Amino acid sequence: GKIIFSGIQPTGVPHLGNYLGALRQWVKLQDEGHPKDRRFYSIVDLHAITVPQDPQLLVQRTRETYASLIAIGLDPNKSVIFAQQDVLEHTQLMWILSCHASMGYLGRMTQWKSKAGMADNADPLETSAPNKPALKLGLFSYPVLQAADILLYNATHVPVGEDQAQHLEFTRELGNSINHLYAKPSGPSRVPFKGFFLPQTIHSPAKRIMSLQDPTKKMSKSDPDERSRILITDSRDEINLKIKHALTDSVPGVSYDRDSRPGVSNLIDIMYYMDESKYGSPEEIAADMFGKDFSLKVLKEQVATTVADGLEPIRERYNEQMARSLEDVDAEMGRGASMAKGTAAMNLQRLKAAMGIRQHK
Ligand code: TYM
């Protein structure tokens, strides 16, 4: 069977990009997978603190993220759902990986450069730019913690959006170098380290949903403009308003072309991916349902209706989840964490033994 791992930062209720680009795939892998598959889905709170966080808000957003994962259809009886911080092995493996991770490779990560506010051609290791707050080590080593998340469970498949592809490439590279150094197919040890699987990236078809306000940028939680994204718990009115104000263009009629009409095409993509079984392709939606004689106003109304209909059951389940007692949710998350820990501790122990790091009883 497959071993599936993926993570989401506790930034509160996910947006349509998270949902269509990754989370919906998590649910599919749960409901349509092989009975022998194992799934680990983590709320990565330790990744969240690589940028400043308000402590109370972080608690609240972790709660909202968990409620959202259940609301979209993840089931703690079928998937292991847990908070990264509850399984301390993540940070232990991160240290071990840090001792093998290339600074040069990390410096080339586009996500680091953009979060650090650096130009593409900047020297990644020149961290003392004048008049800028000091760059933090945790932000730089973010991908090492992500690699630890994945390798700790010996994952074979990782469902993510396109923006995570580079981090996964890094994970495979790091896993491969650890394998070369320490893996032994067999041997006298009772707990041999046979090497990590080099995990495969799974992209959903909707691997890149764009901002409603600037369709050249991805839809993102950190965009200060709330109208740039639709949250999966937004009301029908909010969805209508955000899509009505989405940036498009002044070309007459409806057509699909991601390069010349990014705003319109993003809306058509959203409509298509909300209910893939209903339409053949985004191009078909543009040509058959709309075409040259339709206004963008009609398109937007239709997109808004499709999105609001699709999200309605999620919104209802989310409200039920948020009405549960904190004790109840904590206990459920604790059960997830102890299941995760069982696998994590065993895998870590194997690697440590192969490296000569012994547990002293
Ligand atoms: P995060 O929390 O930013 O996003 C969660 C998932 O949503 C996807 N995503 C998108 N997909 C399509 N279009 C968009 N506009 C869009 N925005 C976000 C992301 O690709 C992601 O799959 N570093 C990760 C969390 C992480 C992780 C891991 C993922 C930590 N450890 C191990 C996989 C495996 C992140 O910040 O995701």
Side-chain angles (χ1 to χ4, degrees):
K2 296 185 176 117
I3 305 171
I4 293 147
F5 185 95
S6 199
I8 182 166
Q9 294 198 46
T11 28
V13 174
H15 53 68
L16 263 191
N18 301 131
Y19 180 59
L20 297 176
L23 301 180
R24 214 177 40 172
Q25 196 76 15
W26 300 11
V27 180
K28 271 198 191 144
L29 289 163
Q30 169 188 277
D31 295 340
E32 295 163 22
H34 189 273
K36 285 230 167 103
D37 292 350
R38 304 184 65 201
R39 289 160 294 270
F40 298 91
Y41 296 132
S42 185
I43 297 174
V44 293
D45 37 17
L46 297 176
H47 276 111
I49 60 166
T50 54
V51 295
Q53 294 285 344
D54 174 282
Q56 265 172 0
L57 262 183
L58 185 57
V59 171
Q60 171 69 15
R61 287 182 173 157
T62 304
R63 174 97 207 268
E64 290 170 0
T65 305
Y66 186 77
S68 302
L69 294 182
I70 305 299
I72 61 165
L74 290 181
D75 178 348
N77 295 313
K78 297 181 186 157
S79 300
V80 179
I81 310 165
F82 69 102
Q84 185 186 35
Q85 127 68 28
D86 290 334
V87 181
L88 299 179
E89 282 77 4
H90 287 248
T91 40
Q92 264 250 310
L93 180 57
M94 182 201 179
W95 175 255
I96 293 174
L97 296 180
S98 295
C99 297
H100 299 85
S102 147
M103 299 263 286
Y105 196 151
L106 282 169
R108 289 191 296 273
M109 295 278 149
T110 54
Q111 193 149 329
W112 147 255
K113 287 193 171 181
S114 72
K115 284 203 184 158
M118 276 188 229
D120 274 352
N121 57 0
D123 176 354
L125 298 181
E126 178 49 72
T127 53
S128 54
N131 306 325
K132 277 205 170 169
L135 294 169
K136 302 296 192 284
L137 179 59
L139 188 62
F140 186 67
S141 53
Y142 182 112
V144 185
L145 181 57
Q146 181 159 349
D149 296 341
I150 297 166
L151 299 176
L152 189 56
Y153 298 90
N154 211 0
T156 59
H157 293 80
V158 184
V160 286
E162 193 176 58
D163 60 339
Q164 298 300 313
Q166 208 182 22
H167 289 165
L168 289 224
E169 191 56 50
F170 173 78
T171 300
R172 286 187 287 269
E173 171 104 1
L174 198 47
N176 195 33
S177 42
I178 297 278
N179 287 353
H180 276 296
L181 286 168
Y182 305 112
K184 292 219 173 59
S186 60
S189 170
R190 269 187 309 116
V191 282
F193 174 63
K194 294 184 185 154
F196 295 122
F197 290 120
L198 301 183
Q200 223 174 297
T201 309
I202 309 183
H203 287 310
S204 33
K207 57 190 181 200
R208 196 165 160 84
I209 299 294
M210 310 310 278
S211 155
L212 297 181
Q213 287 300 313
D214 178 355
T216 61
K217 291 193 310 195
K218 69 173 184 188
M219 187 178 284
S220 152
K221 210 74 74 62
S222 55
D223 192 319
D225 186 351
E226 283 183 16
R227 293 175 316 165
S228 69
R229 60 185 165 266
I230 291 173
L231 302 185
I232 61 172
T233 56
D234 275 350
S235 69
R236 197 168 282 271
D237 285 348
E238 286 166 316
I239 295 169
N240 280 334
L241 211 64
K242 286 177 181 174
I243 292 187
K244 187 171 160 197
H245 289 123
L247 185 76
T248 48
D249 54 39
S250 51
V251 179
V254 175
S255 58
Y256 184 85
D257 183 337
R258 286 193 79 143
D259 293 327
S260 68
R261 305 192 74 185
V264 175
S265 303
N266 189 42
L267 293 178
I268 297 172
D269 276 342
I270 288 173
M271 178 162 163
Y272 172 66
Y273 291 120
M274 278 307 294
D275 192 353
E276 281 164 280
S277 58
K278 205 151 140 196
Y279 316 103
S281 67
E283 288 83 355
E284 256 178 68
I285 292 186
D288 298 353
M289 288 186 58
F290 298 102
K292 290 199 178 25
D293 303 332
F294 277 87
S295 70
L296 292 182
K297 183 165 171 283
V298 180
L299 171 73
K300 283 178 166 182
E301 285 166 4
Q302 191 66 51
V303 174
T305 304
T306 305
V307 171
D309 289 351
L311 294 182
E312 195 162 282
I314 295 179
R315 192 165 57 241
E316 281 167 15
R317 283 198 298 267
Y318 176 82
N319 292 333
E320 286 163 24
Q321 285 300 316
M322 289 302 283
R324 291 171 65 186
S325 76
L326 192 58
E327 291 72 33
D328 186 23
V329 176
D330 275 359
E332 192 171 276
M333 290 181 72
R335 284 194 293 278
S338 52
M339 283 190 272
K341 194 178 166 78
T343 302
M346 188 186 68
N347 288 343
L348 180 65
Q349 164 62 27
R350 286 171 188 270
L351 173 62
K352 286 189 359 185
M355 295 176 73
I357 301 176
R358 285 189 59 231
Q359 174 93 40
H360 301 98
K361 294 255 156 52

